[in-house]
Amino acid sequence: MIQTEFEFTLPKGYLDSEGNLHRQGVMRLSRAIDEIAPLRDPRVKSNPAYATVIILSRVITRLGALEQVTPLAIENLFAVDLNYLQSFYRQINELENQGDPDSEPLSPPALPGPSYS
């Protein structure tokens, strides 16, 4: 049987509006629709980097005691936690060549790293 859900612990944690810290979570494997659907979203059309936010909100099934993981929750993550989740996403979906040190890592176009330009 294939494992489809993976537990994680955020380095810092999501701090909600009531001051509660959420660090433990579960992410499921991504399906094609998880990367296709955000492309229709107007927020992604005006800012392609926003696809990361939508994809993560779709594949994170649990984050602490939150009832639902929304794009707003992902927007308010600390940068270190967003970076961790992007890397974890690539790892569990096998989007990096881990066995060959000479090969370039593969990453979906929808999950770019941060841009500081």
Side-chain angles (χ1 to χ4, degrees):
M1 190 157 144
I2 187 170
Q3 181 178 358
T4 60
E5 292 192 330
F6 301 84
E7 294 183 0
F8 63 83
T9 301
L10 294 175
K12 295 274 185 206
Y14 169 68
L15 194 59
D16 68 22
S17 61
E18 296 174 4
N20 301 309
L21 188 64
H22 307 272
R23 291 189 63 213
Q24 309 295 324
V26 175
M27 184 183 293
R28 66 169 172 78
L29 289 177
S30 180
R31 295 187 171 98
I33 192 65
D34 295 316
E35 293 193 11
I36 295 168
L39 300 176
R40 295 186 289 243
D41 190 293
R43 295 170 293 187
V44 174
K45 289 181 180 181
S46 65
N47 179 5
Y50 197 77
T52 299
V53 172
I54 296 175
I55 291 170
L56 290 175
S57 71
R58 291 174 63 101
V59 299
I60 297 173
T61 59
R62 183 177 59 78
L63 182 56
L66 296 178
E67 289 184 23
Q68 184 179 12
V69 180
T70 64
L72 184 60
I74 303 300
E75 286 177 15
N76 286 296
L77 289 171
F78 294 108
V80 67
D81 292 325
L82 179 62
N83 185 56
Y84 171 84
L85 289 171
Q86 289 175 308
S87 177
F88 190 68
Y89 175 93
R90 289 189 299 269
Q91 177 188 344
I92 69 169
N93 287 288
E94 300 178 20
L95 298 172
E96 294 178 344
N97 292 335
Q98 298 173 351
D100 184 0
D102 295 328
S103 61
E104 291 293 317
L106 301 174
S107 58
L111 288 175
S115 174
Y116 299 105
S117 54

